[in-house]
Amino acid sequence: MGVTVDVRWVYRYPFEQVVASFLRKYPNPMDKNVILVKTVEEKRDVSTGIIYRKRIAVCQNVVPEILRKVSILKVPNIQLEEESWLNPRERSMTIQSHCLTWTQYASMKEESVFRECMENPNWTEFIQRGRISIMGAGFFNCILEAFASTFLRQGAQKGIRIMEMLLKEQCGAPSAE
């Protein structure tokens, strides 16, 4: 079955500042679940100017203890892989993330875009769609998907708050334009 979470947000800051804040967002004291983010590959296409990055994030296992009674859920950390394509000429960045942990039981994918806002070129639009499907856990599938849906929604909102805080620190108050 699976669950999908959609998020749209407009940062009242220029694209370059939003992307810079995103790339240094984690680890962060506001979200202690993200332990480490490591860039494992980075390259620039000289003809297009597009910068490709592959990063691995290590996060604490946030599955509630009651659900960790299932042996496969008893892991201390979860790993995520994030690939991004930054196009400075078009002022857009596309990000695709997926979970590297529990791949035989779950599929977690996120697709995100940062782009210049149509309403105001000094603002940045953020669009994200996340999808989680659990399989092979019998009647636990629905329970785990419900937890995952709540966690994804809360995580997206927390990520937006962290970005707003970083942007405020870096740039001051948002543009009123």
Side-chain angles (χ1 to χ4, degrees):
M1 191 168 119
V3 293
T4 302
V5 174
D6 292 311
V7 175
R8 182 183 179 277
W9 186 258
V10 174
Y11 294 101
R12 293 179 174 218
Y13 296 92
F15 171 79
E16 294 77 12
Q17 292 171 334
V18 172
V19 167
S21 291
F22 172 80
L23 292 172
R24 67 173 198 282
K25 179 168 77 169
Y26 296 114
N28 184 305
M30 284 185 64
D31 189 347
K32 298 197 186 306
N33 292 328
V34 181
I35 301 165
L36 168 74
V37 176
K38 179 180 178 184
T39 301
V40 293
E41 184 178 353
E42 185 170 336
K43 58 187 173 185
R44 178 186 206 108
D45 183 315
V46 283
S47 63
T48 64
I50 294 174
I51 301 167
Y52 168 81
R53 286 183 186 88
K54 184 188 288 188
R55 303 189 314 168
I56 303 293
V58 178
C59 306
Q60 290 181 12
N61 184 352
V62 295
V63 173
E65 279 300 320
I66 188 121
L67 297 177
R68 289 196 213 182
K69 302 290 184 208
V70 179
S71 63
I72 61 165
L73 300 177
K74 287 184 184 180
V75 296
N77 299 321
I78 299 166
Q79 288 194 356
L80 305 168
E81 180 180 79
E82 172 192 275
E83 293 180 282
S84 65
W85 295 265
L86 171 60
N87 187 332
R89 293 178 190 159
E90 293 185 8
R91 298 183 81 203
S92 69
M93 183 164 77
T94 302
I95 305 147
Q96 294 180 351
S97 306
H98 65 274
C99 188
L100 298 174
T101 307
W102 301 314
T103 55
Q104 69 272 39
Y105 303 104
S107 168
M108 189 289 292
K109 296 181 180 185
E110 277 183 354
E111 294 182 9
S112 305
V113 174
F114 288 99
R115 64 184 179 202
E116 182 178 292
C117 184
M118 298 299 251
E119 298 168 40
N120 184 327
N122 291 317
W123 296 352
T124 305
E125 182 178 27
F126 171 66
I127 301 165
Q128 183 178 65
R129 168 166 272 188
R131 179 161 179 77
I132 292 186
S133 298
I134 310 291
M135 54 262 181
F139 68 93
F140 275 118
N141 286 4
C142 290
I143 295 168
L144 292 170
E145 286 177 352
F147 167 74
S149 174
T150 301
F151 182 75
L152 277 179
R153 285 187 211 311
Q154 290 173 348
Q157 293 306 314
K158 184 185 243 182
I160 289 169
R161 284 193 310 272
I162 291 170
M163 286 285 293
E164 287 285 355
M165 180 201 71
L166 291 172
L167 287 160
K168 216 172 267 185
E169 286 176 2
Q170 175 188 351
C171 312
S175 168
E177 294 178 37

